């Protein structure tokens, strides 16, 4: 979501009036001739991407819109550049004059916006609705790291973990939810987790495991078992089996592409992905 805009006479009323009725508007008085303004602009760009629909960063270029800048500067008593003015419901609610650090800007935003873990949780929910499980997991994980006691965050993260087959993590999250916080949503996620756990022990997997034990040198059966394990979410077991196949025959059927596909299905930064990439490199080079 693009939540940055340049202010001009044509959109001034909409930005400072209508938009500030719906979200917090951060009006930045900016000049390209000021190194402090340039540094602060980079901070605001970073921050804006993290607050999505809750914040609009509106930049007034005082070099280009000199008349408008002079008019607004007189109204708010502007004395220095850069200056940040925070507006809600068409009225200023805070102001920072002079160069600010990222933390100083965040401290003011925290007074007027939902907490960062709440914003991340909302982003996780939206990504989950869009079936972007990788983004959903990363947002929810960041939210959990900021607030490890929040039951709602635990349940959303557990739900995502079930969908990406990280069932051990889902079980741990569910177990950590206090008894008095185990509502209908908890019951629903717990049932999904139990169903997913049952799927991991399917008759097909058990039959293939028996075949592998009976014919330990049959790579075709091992590949079938690896595929079944992957489909059931038992990704580490699938990767280990595929790795053993590749150690015996690096070019066996679809073992290498399947191995890489399983790794690619893991969330960004997953330690399991890093572990098995290293193992693959050990036999490739």
């Amino acid at each position: 979501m693009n939540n940055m805009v340049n202010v001009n006479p044509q959109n001034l009323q909409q930005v400072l009036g209508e938009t500030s009725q719906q979200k917090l508007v951060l009006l930045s008085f900016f000049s390209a001739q000021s190194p402090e303004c340039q540094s602060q602009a980079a901070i605001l760009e970073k921050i804006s991407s993290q607050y999505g629909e809750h914040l609009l960063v509106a930049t007034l270029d005082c070099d280009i819109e000199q008349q408008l800048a002079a008019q607004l500067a007189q109204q708010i008593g502007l004395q220095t550049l850069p200056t940040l003015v925070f507006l809600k419901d068409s009225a200023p609610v805070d102001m920072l004059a002079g160069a600010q650090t990222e933390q100083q800007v965040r401290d003011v935003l925290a007074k007027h916006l939902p907490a960062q873990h709440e914003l991340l949780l909302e982003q996780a929910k939206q990504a989950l609705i869009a079936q972007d499980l990788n983004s959903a997991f990363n947002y929810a994980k960041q939210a959990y790291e900021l607030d490890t006691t929040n039951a709602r965050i635990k349940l959303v993260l557990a739900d995502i973990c079930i969908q990406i087959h990280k069932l051990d993590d889902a079980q741990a999250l569910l177990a950590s939810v206090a008894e008095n916080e185990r509502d209908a949503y908890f019951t629903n996620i717990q049932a999904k987790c139990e169903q997913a756990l049952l799927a991991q022990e399917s008759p097909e997997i058990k039959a293939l495991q028996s075949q592998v034990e009976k014919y330990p040198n049959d790579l075709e059966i091992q590949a079938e078992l690896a595929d079944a394990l992957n489909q059931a979410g038992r990704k580490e077991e699938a990767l280990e089996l595929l790795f053993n196949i590749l150690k015996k025959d690096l070019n066996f059927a679809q073992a290498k592409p399947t191995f890489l596909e399983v790794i690619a299905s893991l969330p960004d930064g997953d330690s399991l992905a890093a572990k098995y990439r290293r193992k693959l490199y050990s036999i490739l080079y």
Side-chain angles (χ1 to χ4, degrees), residues 28-152:
S28 171
F29 286 83
F30 170 88
S31 170
Q33 300 175 54
S34 164
E36 291 85 1
C37 286
Q38 297 278 13
S39 298
Q40 193 153 277
I43 291 172
L44 297 182
E45 183 175 1
K46 176 183 176 182
I47 289 175
S48 71
S49 66
Q50 298 172 353
Y51 283 93
E53 62 185 27
H54 298 275
L55 175 70
L56 176 70
V57 175
T59 300
L60 176 58
D61 191 321
C62 299
D63 301 326
I64 297 174
E65 303 292 349
Q66 294 182 16
Q67 185 175 351
L68 180 59
Q71 176 188 341
L72 292 177
Q74 186 176 14
Q75 291 177 9
I76 69 168
L78 178 72
Q79 296 182 345
T80 185
L81 290 176
T83 288
L84 304 177
V85 181
F86 302 79
L87 300 105
K88 261 187 178 180
D89 298 325
S90 306
V93 292
D94 240 315
M95 184 166 73
L96 290 172
Q100 307 292 320
T101 65
E102 179 178 335
Q103 190 57 52
Q104 287 173 313
V105 177
R106 289 188 183 277
D107 287 344
V108 174
L109 289 173
K111 293 159 54 178
H112 305 289
L113 290 173
Q116 187 66 22
H117 67 269
E118 294 174 350
L119 295 171
L120 287 165
L121 179 60
E122 183 59 33
Q123 288 176 296
K125 289 178 180 178
Q126 294 302 317
L128 192 55
I129 291 170
Q131 285 299 299
D132 183 356
L133 296 178
N134 187 53
S135 295
F137 175 77
N138 287 324
Y139 287 136
K141 187 169 180 288
Q142 290 176 60
Y144 178 68
E145 289 167 352
L146 290 172
D147 186 354
T148 58
T149 64
N150 189 302
R152 190 59 43 174

Side-chain angles (χ1 to χ4, degrees), residues 18-278:
E18 297 172 21
T19 302
S20 73
Q21 302 285 334
Q22 303 162 2
K23 62 181 71 177
L24 183 69
V25 173
L26 195 169
L27 176 61
S28 171
F29 286 83
F30 170 88
S31 170
Q33 300 175 54
S34 164
E36 291 85 1
C37 286
Q38 297 278 13
S39 298
Q40 193 153 277
I43 291 172
L44 297 182
E45 183 175 1
K46 176 183 176 182
I47 289 175
S48 71
S49 66
Q50 298 172 353
Y51 283 93
E53 62 185 27
H54 298 275
L55 175 70
L56 176 70
V57 175
T59 300
L60 176 58
D61 191 321
C62 299
D63 301 326
I64 297 174
E65 303 292 349
Q66 294 182 16
Q67 185 175 351
L68 180 59
Q71 176 188 341
L72 292 177
Q74 186 176 14
Q75 291 177 9
I76 69 168
L78 178 72
Q79 296 182 345
T80 185
L81 290 176
T83 288
L84 304 177
V85 181
F86 302 79
L87 300 105
K88 261 187 178 180
D89 298 325
S90 306
V93 292
D94 240 315
M95 184 166 73
L96 290 172
Q100 307 292 320
T101 65
E102 179 178 335
Q103 190 57 52
Q104 287 173 313
V105 177
R106 289 188 183 277
D107 287 344
V108 174
L109 289 173
K111 293 159 54 178
H112 305 289
L113 290 173
Q116 187 66 22
H117 67 269
E118 294 174 350
L119 295 171
L120 287 165
L121 179 60
E122 183 59 33
Q123 288 176 296
K125 289 178 180 178
Q126 294 302 317
L128 192 55
I129 291 170
Q131 285 299 299
D132 183 356
L133 296 178
N134 187 53
S135 295
F137 175 77
N138 287 324
Y139 287 136
K141 187 169 180 288
Q142 290 176 60
Y144 178 68
E145 289 167 352
L146 290 172
D147 186 354
T148 58
T149 64
N150 189 302
R152 190 59 43 174
I153 293 174
K154 291 179 183 179
L155 293 176
V156 171
L157 181 54
D159 189 5
I160 297 166
C161 284
I162 292 167
Q163 296 191 52
I164 61 174
H165 303 298
K166 295 176 75 71
L167 298 185
D168 288 344
D169 290 348
Q171 285 181 290
L173 287 162
L174 288 167
S176 71
V177 176
E179 289 287 344
N180 63 341
E181 295 181 301
R182 297 187 175 188
D183 56 9
Y185 184 41
F186 171 89
T187 303
N188 176 261
I189 302 303
Q190 186 178 52
K192 287 173 68 174
C193 188
E194 290 171 355
Q195 185 176 12
L197 287 166
L198 286 173
Q200 288 193 330
E201 299 296 338
S202 70
E204 178 193 3
I205 289 175
K206 291 179 178 179
L208 286 168
Q209 287 172 328
S210 296
Q211 289 293 303
V212 167
E213 289 178 8
K214 188 175 181 179
Y215 306 105
N217 296 318
D218 191 324
L219 300 186
E220 186 65 44
I221 297 174
Q222 291 181 38
E224 288 182 37
L225 175 57
D227 183 61
L229 290 169
N230 179 44
Q231 294 301 318
R234 296 165 64 174
K235 293 183 181 291
E236 183 166 12
E237 293 171 83
L239 285 168
E240 186 62 28
L241 198 51
L242 288 165
F243 177 69
N244 288 330
I245 292 172
L246 292 171
K247 281 199 300 184
K248 295 174 182 176
D249 184 350
L250 191 58
N251 297 307
F252 180 78
Q254 293 296 306
K256 186 159 63 174
T258 303
F259 184 91
L260 294 172
E261 285 172 11
V262 177
I263 288 177
S265 72
L266 295 167
D268 291 342
D270 193 288
S271 59
L272 192 62
K275 173 184 175 181
Y276 278 92
R277 282 196 189 97
R278 288 194 298 270

